[in-house]
Structure formats: structure tokens, C-alpha cells
Amino acid sequence: RGGGAAPTISEPLAVSLVCSMTQDDVTRSLPIIEVLRGLLGYLVRYGLSTATRKALGQTLSPGDFNGADVQLYNIRLCQGNKLRAQAALTLQGKGAAAAGIPFEIRAGLALEREGTVIIVEQPELVTRSFFGREVYLPFMPLVKAGADLGPDFRLSRLRVDEGVIQVEGIVILRPPSTMAAATQIAELEQTGAPADELQELKNLEMLQRAADSTVRASKARQQRRVAERDRVHAEQVLRARRRRRDQALGRVVKPVQDTVAAINGSLSERRRSLRPRSPANESVAESDPERILEAAMAAAAAAKDK
């Protein structure tokens, strides 16, 4: 709806998302930073192997990382669907000796659960050998760190390249008037309702939103496929029209070009026929072996008499 105020929507709307973010966009986006912090924090708490713990330079046990906090200070987008994150690790209860432990992680990103979850693929701790070369230590393979985007985000493509990240998918926009269930759950939380009942209501509300999002996202994808098909068809029609135009133009221009070429050839021949002919030109033009031989013998006899 429009009017004098900003336009609004009265029911959920599926929006096609196609965006490209630079490295600066990523580092300045607080939601993205928080998602990456959560992913790295989960890896550090539950995915460190014995080798990776030793590489951090600390004599710590696995339990010491349960309360680990991660602070990101640099993110670099790399080729091959990889990113590198430099961060500092703080362990709760370990004092200043375990505060601000620097580390760097290289990992890929992938999608799961119909594009509603972003997971970390093949995470590795970046260290250096005695010779200064980088060494990559893998995290525990059974640990999978993922960020749930919620039922209203359904990504179909997530690609990391040098200095840029590309995202495509469907986003469901919901006006507040359609979020009655979530509002009621929030009111129950304020009244001190039992936690297990609140969790059950939240799960039910999420399932309902997920089912609604699935239907709307499917319709949006179908509409996008139809629009893409129409675009391809329009481009094919345009190319066919251009090809027919070029062919028709060629049929018109070719006779004219042939006529002009014939006229130019005739004029050149006429110029050559009207050009004055000098004795030298005549001797060259009329030269044949016998006359050349006679001329040479006469010239030799004259030179001998002299």
C-alpha cells in the first residue's frame, strides 16, 4: 500500500534476493560479523583437536575452551570459496594469561537444509612452520558449525571469491500484522510462563512459518524461472531479428558494391589506356627476345667501331 506515507505490505511477500558484497561490505556488516563470530566460537569450543590446541601455544585442556569468546578483527575473502578470519580468543576464568590469544582460521562456506543454514566447510587453523611456510591444521571432522538463518531465508547460492561474496535466494518479508503468534509468545515470556511450554510454542510457530515460507519461496522461484525463460526468449527473438535485418541489408548492399567495384575497374582501365606512352615504356611494352638480342648486338658493334 502507498499513499502519502512510505509503502507498506499487508501480507507476507517473497522477494528474490541477488546481491554481491565486497570485503568492506562484509567487515562493516554487524549481522555478518555476529554470524561468523558464532561459527568460529562453536569451532573453538568443540572442534579443537590436540594438534590445534598445541598450535595455539597454550597448555590447555579441552574443557578450558567451553567458555571461549572470539573477537574478530579481520576477514579476507579468497578464491575457491574460502575465507580467512583473524581473531583473538579469550578463555573465561583463565586470567590475563589466556586473554587475547591470536589465531587465524581458513574455511569454506556451504548451504544446508534448503538454504536456511550456513555451515563451515573444512575449517583449518593457520599456523607457520620453522621455515615460515603456512601449515593448515584441520579441526575435528565430526564437528559441524552452522548458523540458522531462520525459516524466512532460503538461499540457493553462496559463493566466496577474491574480495567478494555472492548470494542468491528468496527472502520472505512479513509485516507485523502477520506475526501475531510471535507477539503472543513474547507476551507470555514477560508473564513468566513455563519455559518448556514457551519452547513448544516457539517450535510450533517456527514450523508454521517454515511451511508458509516453503510455499511462498516455491511460488517465487517458479515466477523467477518464468521471468528468466521470457528473458531468454526475448533475447533469442532480438538476435533473430538482427540476423534477418543483416541478411536483408546484405542482399541490398551486395549488388551496389558489385556495381561500384565494376565502375572502379572500368575507370582504372580507362586511365591506363589514356596514359601517354614514352619510348622507354614502348620498348619495355613491346620487348621480345629477338628484338632485345638485335638491339644488344647493334650496341656492341657501335661500341667496337668507336
Side-chain angles (χ1 to χ4, degrees), residues 28-114:
R28 294 173 183 173
S29 173
L30 292 180
I32 294 178
I33 293 297
E34 288 303 314
V35 168
L36 293 177
R37 278 190 65 227
L39 293 175
L40 296 184
Y42 186 88
L43 284 174
V44 168
R45 285 191 291 271
Y46 306 110
L48 288 176
S49 61
T50 303
T52 51
R53 286 198 305 273
K54 289 182 179 180
L56 289 174
Q58 303 289 329
T59 56
L60 301 170
S61 64
D64 295 330
F65 292 88
N66 291 340
D69 181 62
V70 173
Q71 293 296 326
L72 282 173
Y73 57 86
N74 186 33
I75 298 172
R76 185 155 61 92
L77 306 176
C78 308
Q79 291 183 346
N81 203 35
K82 295 282 187 179
L83 61 83
R84 296 175 68 132
Q86 294 177 332
L89 176 64
T90 300
L91 305 181
Q92 301 296 331
K94 287 295 177 180
I101 304 172
F103 70 98
E104 183 176 357
I105 288 180
R106 184 180 74 167
L109 298 178
L111 299 171
E112 281 194 355
R113 285 169 47 185
E114 298 183 353

Coordinates of all heavy atoms in Angstrom, one line a residue, residues 28-114:
R28 N 31.9 -4.4 7.5 CA 31.1 -3.4 8.1 C 29.7 -3.8 8.5 O 29.0 -3.1 9.1 CB 31.0 -2.2 7.2 CG 32.3 -1.5 6.9 CD 32.2 -0.4 5.8 NE 33.5 0.2 5.5 CZ 33.7 1.0 4.5 NH1 32.6 1.4 3.7 NH2 34.8 1.6 4.3
S29 N 29.4 -5.1 8.2 CA 28.1 -5.6 8.5 C 28.1 -6.3 9.8 O 28.6 -7.4 10.0 CB 27.6 -6.5 7.4 OG 26.4 -7.1 7.7
L30 N 27.4 -5.7 10.8 CA 27.3 -6.3 12.1 C 26.6 -7.7 12.1 O 27.1 -8.6 12.8 CB 26.7 -5.3 13.1 CG 27.5 -4.1 13.5 CD1 26.7 -3.2 14.4 CD2 28.8 -4.4 14.0
P31 N 25.5 -7.8 11.4 CA 24.9 -9.2 11.4 C 25.8 -10.3 10.8 O 25.9 -11.4 11.4 CB 23.7 -9.0 10.5 CG 23.3 -7.5 10.6 CD 24.7 -6.9 10.7
I32 N 26.6 -9.9 9.8 CA 27.5 -10.9 9.2 C 28.6 -11.2 10.2 O 29.0 -12.4 10.4 CB 28.1 -10.5 7.9 CG1 26.9 -10.4 6.8 CG2 29.2 -11.4 7.4 CD1 27.3 -9.8 5.5
I33 N 29.1 -10.2 10.8 CA 30.2 -10.4 11.8 C 29.7 -11.3 13.0 O 30.5 -12.2 13.4 CB 30.7 -9.0 12.4 CG1 31.4 -8.2 11.2 CG2 31.6 -9.2 13.5 CD1 32.6 -8.9 10.7
E34 N 28.5 -11.0 13.4 CA 28.0 -11.9 14.5 C 27.8 -13.3 14.1 O 28.0 -14.2 14.9 CB 26.7 -11.3 15.0 CG 26.8 -10.0 15.8 CD 27.7 -10.1 17.0 OE1 27.6 -11.1 17.7 OE2 28.6 -9.3 17.2
V35 N 27.4 -13.5 12.9 CA 27.2 -14.9 12.4 C 28.6 -15.6 12.4 O 28.7 -16.7 12.8 CB 26.5 -14.9 11.0 CG1 26.7 -16.3 10.4 CG2 25.1 -14.5 11.1
L36 N 29.6 -14.9 11.8 CA 30.9 -15.5 11.7 C 31.5 -15.7 13.1 O 32.2 -16.7 13.4 CB 31.8 -14.6 10.9 CG 31.5 -14.5 9.4 CD1 32.4 -13.6 8.7 CD2 31.6 -15.9 8.8
R37 N 31.3 -14.8 14.0 CA 31.7 -15.0 15.4 C 31.1 -16.2 16.0 O 31.8 -17.0 16.7 CB 31.4 -13.8 16.3 CG 32.3 -12.6 16.1 CD 32.0 -11.5 17.2 NE 32.3 -12.1 18.5 CZ 31.4 -12.0 19.6 NH1 30.3 -11.4 19.4 NH2 31.8 -12.5 20.7
G38 N 29.8 -16.4 15.8 CA 29.2 -17.6 16.4 C 29.7 -18.9 15.8 O 29.9 -19.9 16.5
L39 N 30.0 -18.9 14.5 CA 30.5 -20.1 13.8 C 31.9 -20.4 14.4 O 32.3 -21.5 14.7 CB 30.6 -19.9 12.3 CG 29.2 -19.8 11.6 CD1 29.5 -19.5 10.1 CD2 28.5 -21.1 11.7
L40 N 32.8 -19.4 14.5 CA 34.2 -19.6 14.9 C 34.2 -20.0 16.4 O 35.0 -20.8 16.9 CB 35.0 -18.3 14.7 CG 35.2 -17.9 13.3 CD1 36.2 -16.8 13.2 CD2 35.8 -19.1 12.5
G41 N 33.3 -19.3 17.2 CA 33.2 -19.7 18.6 C 32.8 -21.1 18.8 O 33.4 -21.8 19.7
Y42 N 31.9 -21.6 18.0 CA 31.5 -23.0 18.1 C 32.6 -24.0 17.8 O 32.9 -25.0 18.4 CB 30.3 -23.3 17.2 CG 29.7 -24.7 17.3 CD1 28.7 -25.0 18.3 CD2 30.2 -25.7 16.5 CE1 28.2 -26.2 18.4 CE2 29.6 -27.0 16.7 CZ 28.7 -27.3 17.6 OH 28.1 -28.5 17.7
L43 N 33.4 -23.6 16.7 CA 34.5 -24.4 16.3 C 35.6 -24.5 17.4 O 36.2 -25.5 17.7 CB 35.1 -23.9 15.0 CG 34.4 -24.1 13.7 CD1 35.1 -23.4 12.6 CD2 34.4 -25.6 13.4
V44 N 35.9 -23.3 18.0 CA 36.9 -23.3 19.0 C 36.5 -24.0 20.3 O 37.3 -24.7 20.9 CB 37.2 -21.8 19.4 CG1 38.1 -21.7 20.6 CG2 37.9 -21.1 18.2
R45 N 35.2 -24.0 20.6 CA 34.7 -24.6 21.8 C 34.7 -26.1 21.7 O 35.0 -26.9 22.6 CB 33.4 -24.1 22.2 CG 33.4 -22.7 22.9 CD 32.1 -22.3 23.5 NE 31.1 -22.1 22.5 CZ 30.8 -20.9 21.9 NH1 31.6 -19.9 22.2 NH2 29.9 -20.8 21.0
Y46 N 34.3 -26.6 20.5 CA 34.0 -28.0 20.4 C 34.8 -28.7 19.3 O 34.7 -30.0 19.2 CB 32.5 -28.3 20.1 CG 31.6 -27.6 21.1 CD1 30.8 -26.5 20.8 CD2 31.6 -28.1 22.4 CE1 30.0 -25.9 21.7 CE2 30.8 -27.5 23.3 CZ 30.0 -26.4 23.0 OH 29.2 -25.8 23.9
G47 N 35.6 -28.0 18.5 CA 36.2 -28.6 17.4 C 37.7 -28.7 17.4 O 38.4 -29.2 16.5
L48 N 38.4 -28.2 18.5 CA 39.8 -28.2 18.5 C 40.4 -29.5 18.8 O 39.9 -30.2 19.7 CB 40.3 -27.2 19.6 CG 40.2 -25.7 19.3 CD1 40.6 -24.9 20.5 CD2 41.0 -25.3 18.1
S49 N 41.3 -30.0 17.9 CA 42.0 -31.2 18.2 C 43.2 -31.0 19.0 O 43.5 -29.9 19.4 CB 42.4 -31.9 16.8 OG 43.3 -31.0 16.2
T50 N 43.9 -32.0 19.4 CA 45.1 -31.9 20.2 C 46.1 -31.1 19.5 O 46.8 -30.2 20.1 CB 45.7 -33.3 20.5 OG1 44.7 -34.1 21.2 CG2 46.9 -33.2 21.4
A51 N 46.3 -31.3 18.2 CA 47.3 -30.5 17.4 C 46.9 -29.0 17.3 O 47.8 -28.2 17.5 CB 47.4 -31.1 16.0
T52 N 45.6 -28.7 17.2 CA 45.3 -27.3 17.1 C 45.4 -26.6 18.4 O 45.8 -25.5 18.5 CB 43.8 -27.2 16.5 OG1 42.9 -28.0 17.3 CG2 43.7 -27.6 15.1
R53 N 45.1 -27.3 19.5 CA 45.3 -26.7 20.8 C 46.8 -26.4 21.1 O 47.1 -25.4 21.6 CB 44.8 -27.6 21.9 CG 43.2 -27.7 22.0 CD 42.8 -28.3 23.3 NE 43.4 -29.6 23.6 CZ 42.8 -30.7 23.2 NH1 41.7 -30.7 22.5 NH2 43.4 -31.9 23.5
K54 N 47.7 -27.3 20.7 CA 49.1 -27.1 20.9 C 49.6 -25.9 20.0 O 50.4 -25.2 20.4 CB 49.9 -28.3 20.6 CG 49.7 -29.5 21.6 CD 50.6 -30.7 21.2 CE 50.4 -31.8 22.3 NZ 51.2 -33.0 21.9
A55 N 49.0 -25.8 18.8 CA 49.4 -24.8 17.9 C 49.1 -23.4 18.4 O 49.7 -22.4 18.1 CB 48.8 -25.0 16.5
L56 N 48.1 -23.3 19.3 CA 47.7 -22.0 19.9 C 48.7 -21.6 20.9 O 48.6 -20.4 21.4 CB 46.3 -22.1 20.5 CG 45.1 -22.2 19.6 CD1 43.8 -22.4 20.3 CD2 45.0 -21.0 18.7
G57 N 49.7 -22.4 21.3 CA 50.7 -22.1 22.2 C 50.3 -22.1 23.7 O 50.9 -21.4 24.5
Q58 N 49.2 -22.8 24.0 CA 48.7 -22.8 25.4 C 48.6 -24.2 25.9 O 48.3 -25.1 25.1 CB 47.4 -22.1 25.4 CG 47.3 -20.7 24.9 CD 48.1 -19.7 25.9 OE1 48.1 -20.0 27.1 NE2 48.7 -18.7 25.3
T59 N 49.0 -24.4 27.1 CA 48.9 -25.8 27.7 C 47.5 -25.8 28.4 O 47.3 -25.7 29.6 CB 50.0 -26.0 28.8 OG1 49.9 -24.9 29.7 CG2 51.3 -26.0 28.1
L60 N 46.5 -26.1 27.5 CA 45.1 -26.0 28.0 C 44.4 -27.3 27.7 O 44.8 -28.0 26.7 CB 44.3 -24.9 27.3 CG 44.9 -23.5 27.5 CD1 44.2 -22.5 26.6 CD2 44.7 -23.1 29.0
S61 N 43.5 -27.7 28.5 CA 42.7 -28.9 28.3 C 41.4 -28.6 27.4 O 41.0 -27.4 27.3 CB 42.3 -29.5 29.6 OG 41.4 -28.6 30.3
P62 N 40.8 -29.6 26.9 CA 39.6 -29.3 26.1 C 38.5 -28.6 26.9 O 37.8 -27.7 26.3 CB 39.1 -30.7 25.7 CG 40.3 -31.6 25.7 CD 41.2 -31.0 26.8
G63 N 38.4 -28.9 28.2 CA 37.3 -28.2 28.9 C 37.6 -26.7 29.1 O 36.6 -26.0 29.4
D64 N 38.8 -26.3 29.0 CA 39.1 -24.9 29.2 C 38.5 -24.0 28.1 O 38.4 -22.8 28.2 CB 40.6 -24.7 29.2 CG 41.3 -25.3 30.3 OD1 40.6 -25.4 31.4 OD2 42.5 -25.7 30.2
F65 N 38.1 -24.6 27.0 CA 37.6 -23.9 25.8 C 36.0 -23.8 25.9 O 35.5 -23.2 25.0 CB 38.0 -24.5 24.5 CG 39.5 -24.4 24.2 CD1 40.4 -25.3 24.7 CD2 40.0 -23.3 23.5 CE1 41.7 -25.2 24.5 CE2 41.3 -23.2 23.3 CZ 42.2 -24.1 23.8
N66 N 35.4 -24.3 26.9 CA 33.9 -24.3 26.9 C 33.4 -22.9 27.0 O 32.3 -22.6 26.4 CB 33.4 -25.2 28.1 CG 33.7 -26.7 27.9 OD1 33.9 -27.1 26.7 ND2 33.7 -27.4 29.0
G67 N 34.0 -22.1 27.7 CA 33.5 -20.7 27.8 C 34.3 -19.7 26.9 O 34.4 -18.5 27.3
A68 N 34.9 -20.2 25.8 CA 35.7 -19.3 25.0 C 34.9 -18.3 24.3 O 33.8 -18.5 23.9 CB 36.4 -20.2 23.9
D69 N 35.5 -17.1 24.2 CA 34.9 -16.0 23.5 C 35.8 -15.5 22.4 O 37.0 -15.4 22.5 CB 34.6 -14.8 24.4 CG 34.0 -13.6 23.7 OD1 32.8 -13.8 23.3 OD2 34.6 -12.5 23.7
V70 N 35.2 -15.3 21.2 CA 36.0 -14.9 20.0 C 35.7 -13.5 19.6 O 34.5 -13.1 19.5 CB 35.7 -15.9 18.8 CG1 36.4 -15.5 17.6 CG2 36.1 -17.3 19.2
Q71 N 36.8 -12.8 19.3 CA 36.6 -11.4 18.8 C 37.3 -11.3 17.4 O 38.5 -11.6 17.3 CB 37.2 -10.4 19.7 CG 36.5 -10.3 21.1 CD 35.1 -9.7 20.9 OE1 34.8 -8.9 20.0 NE2 34.2 -10.2 21.8
L72 N 36.5 -11.0 16.4 CA 37.0 -10.9 15.0 C 37.6 -9.5 14.8 O 37.1 -8.5 15.3 CB 35.9 -11.1 14.0 CG 35.5 -12.6 13.7 CD1 34.3 -12.6 12.8 CD2 36.6 -13.4 13.1
Y73 N 38.8 -9.5 14.1 CA 39.3 -8.2 13.8 C 39.8 -8.1 12.3 O 40.2 -7.0 11.9 CB 40.5 -7.8 14.7 CG 41.6 -8.7 14.8 CD1 42.7 -8.6 13.9 CD2 41.7 -9.7 15.8 CE1 43.8 -9.5 14.0 CE2 42.8 -10.5 15.9 CZ 43.8 -10.4 15.0 OH 44.9 -11.3 15.1
N74 N 39.7 -9.2 11.6 CA 40.0 -9.1 10.1 C 39.4 -10.3 9.4 O 39.5 -11.4 9.9 CB 41.5 -9.0 9.9 CG 41.8 -8.8 8.4 OD1 41.1 -8.1 7.7 ND2 42.9 -9.4 7.9
I75 N 38.7 -10.0 8.3 CA 38.1 -11.0 7.4 C 38.6 -10.8 6.0 O 38.5 -9.7 5.5 CB 36.6 -11.0 7.5 CG1 36.1 -11.3 8.9 CG2 36.0 -12.1 6.5 CD1 34.6 -11.1 9.1
R76 N 39.1 -11.9 5.4 CA 39.6 -11.8 4.0 C 38.9 -12.8 3.1 O 38.9 -14.0 3.5 CB 41.1 -11.9 3.9 CG 41.7 -11.7 2.5 CD 43.1 -11.3 2.6 NE 43.9 -12.3 3.3 CZ 44.6 -13.3 2.6 NH1 44.5 -13.4 1.3 NH2 45.3 -14.2 3.2
L77 N 38.3 -12.4 2.1 CA 37.6 -13.2 1.1 C 38.6 -13.7 0.1 O 39.2 -12.9 -0.6 CB 36.4 -12.5 0.5 CG 35.4 -11.9 1.5 CD1 34.3 -11.1 0.7 CD2 34.7 -13.0 2.3
C78 N 38.6 -15.0 -0.1 CA 39.7 -15.6 -1.0 C 39.0 -16.4 -2.1 O 37.8 -16.7 -2.1 CB 40.6 -16.5 -0.2 SG 41.3 -15.7 1.2
Q79 N 39.8 -16.8 -3.1 CA 39.3 -17.6 -4.2 C 39.0 -19.0 -3.7 O 39.5 -19.4 -2.6 CB 40.4 -17.7 -5.3 CG 40.5 -16.4 -6.1 CD 41.5 -16.5 -7.2 OE1 42.3 -17.4 -7.3 NE2 41.5 -15.5 -8.1
G80 N 38.3 -19.8 -4.5 CA 38.0 -21.2 -4.2 C 37.0 -21.3 -3.1 O 37.0 -22.3 -2.3
N81 N 36.1 -20.3 -3.0 CA 35.0 -20.4 -1.9 C 35.6 -20.5 -0.5 O 35.1 -21.2 0.3 CB 34.1 -21.5 -2.2 CG 32.7 -21.3 -1.6 OD1 32.2 -20.2 -1.5 ND2 32.1 -22.4 -1.1
K82 N 36.6 -19.7 -0.3 CA 37.3 -19.7 1.0 C 37.3 -18.3 1.6 O 37.4 -17.3 0.9 CB 38.7 -20.2 0.9 CG 38.9 -21.7 0.5 CD 38.6 -22.6 1.6 CE 38.9 -24.1 1.2 NZ 38.7 -25.0 2.3
L83 N 37.3 -18.3 3.0 CA 37.6 -17.0 3.7 C 38.6 -17.3 4.8 O 38.7 -18.4 5.3 CB 36.3 -16.4 4.2 CG 35.4 -17.2 5.2 CD1 36.0 -17.0 6.6 CD2 34.0 -16.7 5.2
R84 N 39.3 -16.2 5.1 CA 40.3 -16.3 6.2 C 39.9 -15.3 7.3 O 39.6 -14.1 6.9 CB 41.7 -16.1 5.7 CG 42.1 -17.1 4.7 CD 43.5 -16.8 4.2 NE 44.5 -16.9 5.2 CZ 45.7 -17.6 5.0 NH1 45.9 -18.2 3.8 NH2 46.6 -17.6 5.9
A85 N 39.8 -15.7 8.5 CA 39.4 -14.8 9.6 C 40.5 -14.8 10.6 O 41.0 -15.8 11.1 CB 38.1 -15.3 10.2
Q86 N 41.0 -13.6 11.0 CA 41.9 -13.4 12.1 C 41.1 -12.9 13.3 O 40.3 -12.0 13.2 CB 43.0 -12.3 11.7 CG 43.9 -12.8 10.5 CD 44.9 -11.8 10.1 OE1 44.6 -10.6 10.2 NE2 46.0 -12.2 9.6
A87 N 41.4 -13.6 14.4 CA 40.6 -13.3 15.6 C 41.5 -13.4 16.8 O 42.6 -13.8 16.8 CB 39.4 -14.3 15.7
A88 N 40.9 -13.1 18.0 CA 41.5 -13.3 19.3 C 40.6 -14.1 20.2 O 39.4 -13.9 20.2 CB 41.8 -11.9 19.9
L89 N 41.2 -15.0 20.9 CA 40.5 -15.9 21.7 C 40.7 -15.6 23.2 O 41.8 -15.4 23.7 CB 41.0 -17.3 21.5 CG 40.4 -18.5 22.3 CD1 38.9 -18.6 22.0 CD2 41.1 -19.8 22.0
T90 N 39.6 -15.5 23.9 CA 39.6 -15.2 25.4 C 38.9 -16.4 26.1 O 37.8 -16.7 25.8 CB 38.9 -13.9 25.7 OG1 39.6 -12.8 25.1 CG2 39.0 -13.6 27.2
L91 N 39.6 -17.0 27.0 CA 39.1 -18.1 27.8 C 38.6 -17.6 29.2 O 39.4 -17.0 29.9 CB 40.1 -19.2 28.0 CG 40.7 -19.7 26.7 CD1 41.7 -20.8 26.9 CD2 39.7 -20.2 25.7
Q92 N 37.3 -17.8 29.5 CA 36.8 -17.3 30.7 C 37.4 -18.1 31.9 O 37.6 -19.3 31.9 CB 35.3 -17.6 30.7 CG 34.5 -16.9 29.6 CD 34.7 -15.4 29.7 OE1 34.8 -14.8 30.8 NE2 34.6 -14.7 28.5
G93 N 37.8 -17.3 32.9 CA 38.3 -17.9 34.1 C 39.8 -18.3 34.1 O 40.3 -18.8 35.0
K94 N 40.5 -17.9 33.0 CA 41.9 -18.3 32.9 C 42.8 -17.1 33.2 O 44.0 -17.2 33.1 CB 42.2 -18.9 31.5 CG 41.6 -20.3 31.3 CD 42.4 -21.2 32.3 CE 41.8 -22.6 32.2 NZ 42.5 -23.5 33.1
G95 N 42.2 -15.9 33.4 CA 43.0 -14.8 33.7 C 43.7 -14.1 32.5 O 43.4 -14.5 31.4
A96 N 44.6 -13.2 32.8 CA 45.2 -12.5 31.7 C 46.1 -13.4 30.8 O 46.3 -13.1 29.6 CB 46.1 -11.4 32.3
A97 N 46.6 -14.5 31.3 CA 47.5 -15.3 30.5 C 46.7 -16.0 29.3 O 47.3 -16.3 28.3 CB 48.1 -16.4 31.4
A98 N 45.4 -16.1 29.5 CA 44.6 -16.7 28.4 C 43.7 -15.7 27.7 O 42.7 -16.1 27.2 CB 43.8 -17.9 29.0
A99 N 44.0 -14.5 27.8 CA 43.2 -13.4 27.2 C 43.9 -12.9 25.9 O 45.1 -12.7 25.9 CB 43.0 -12.2 28.1
G100 N 43.1 -12.8 24.8 CA 43.7 -12.3 23.6 C 44.6 -13.2 22.9 O 45.6 -12.7 22.3
I101 N 44.4 -14.5 22.9 CA 45.2 -15.4 22.1 C 44.9 -15.3 20.6 O 43.8 -15.6 20.2 CB 44.9 -16.9 22.6 CG1 45.1 -17.0 24.1 CG2 45.8 -17.9 21.8 CD1 44.7 -18.4 24.6
P102 N 45.9 -14.8 19.8 CA 45.6 -14.6 18.4 C 45.6 -15.9 17.7 O 46.3 -16.9 18.0 CB 46.8 -13.7 18.0 CG 47.9 -14.1 18.9 CD 47.3 -14.5 20.2
F103 N 44.7 -16.0 16.7 CA 44.7 -17.2 15.8 C 44.0 -16.8 14.5 O 43.4 -15.8 14.4 CB 43.9 -18.4 16.5 CG 42.5 -18.1 16.6 CD1 41.6 -18.7 15.7 CD2 41.9 -17.4 17.7 CE1 40.2 -18.5 15.8 CE2 40.6 -17.2 17.8 CZ 39.7 -17.8 16.9
E104 N 44.2 -17.7 13.5 CA 43.7 -17.4 12.1 C 43.1 -18.7 11.6 O 43.7 -19.8 11.8 CB 44.7 -16.9 11.2 CG 44.2 -16.6 9.8 CD 45.3 -16.0 8.9 OE1 46.4 -15.8 9.3 OE2 44.9 -15.8 7.7
I105 N 41.9 -18.6 11.0 CA 41.2 -19.8 10.5 C 40.9 -19.6 9.0 O 40.5 -18.5 8.6 CB 39.9 -20.0 11.3 CG1 40.2 -20.5 12.7 CG2 39.0 -21.0 10.6 CD1 38.9 -20.8 13.6
R106 N 41.1 -20.7 8.3 CA 40.7 -20.7 6.9 C 39.6 -21.7 6.7 O 39.7 -22.8 7.2 CB 41.9 -21.1 6.0 CG 41.6 -21.0 4.5 CD 42.8 -21.4 3.6 NE 43.0 -22.9 3.7 CZ 43.8 -23.5 2.8 NH1 44.5 -22.8 1.9 NH2 44.0 -24.8 3.0
A107 N 38.5 -21.3 6.1 CA 37.4 -22.2 6.0 C 36.5 -21.9 4.7 O 36.6 -20.8 4.2 CB 36.5 -22.2 7.2
G108 N 35.7 -22.8 4.3 CA 34.7 -22.6 3.3 C 33.3 -22.4 3.8 O 33.1 -22.8 5.0
L109 N 32.4 -22.0 3.0 CA 31.0 -21.8 3.5 C 30.1 -22.6 2.5 O 30.4 -22.7 1.3 CB 30.6 -20.3 3.5 CG 31.3 -19.4 4.4 CD1 30.8 -18.0 4.3 CD2 31.2 -19.9 5.9
A110 N 29.1 -23.2 3.0 CA 28.2 -24.0 2.2 C 26.8 -23.9 2.8 O 26.6 -23.3 3.9 CB 28.6 -25.5 2.2
L111 N 25.8 -24.3 2.1 CA 24.4 -24.2 2.5 C 23.8 -25.6 2.8 O 24.2 -26.6 2.1 CB 23.5 -23.6 1.4 CG 23.9 -22.1 1.0 CD1 23.1 -21.7 -0.2 CD2 23.6 -21.2 2.2
E112 N 22.9 -25.7 3.7 CA 22.2 -26.9 4.1 C 20.8 -26.6 4.4 O 20.4 -25.4 4.6 CB 22.9 -27.6 5.3 CG 24.1 -28.4 4.9 CD 24.6 -29.4 6.0 OE1 24.0 -29.3 7.1 OE2 25.5 -30.1 5.8
R113 N 20.0 -27.7 4.5 CA 18.5 -27.6 4.9 C 17.8 -26.5 4.0 O 17.2 -25.6 4.5 CB 18.4 -27.3 6.3 CG 18.7 -28.5 7.2 CD 18.8 -28.1 8.7 NE 17.8 -27.2 9.1 CZ 17.7 -26.7 10.4 NH1 18.7 -27.0 11.2 NH2 16.7 -25.9 10.7
E114 N 17.9 -26.8 2.7 CA 17.2 -25.9 1.7 C 17.6 -24.5 1.8 O 16.8 -23.5 1.5 CB 15.7 -26.0 1.9 CG 15.1 -27.4 1.7 CD 13.6 -27.5 1.8 OE1 13.0 -26.4 2.2 OE2 13.0 -28.5 1.5

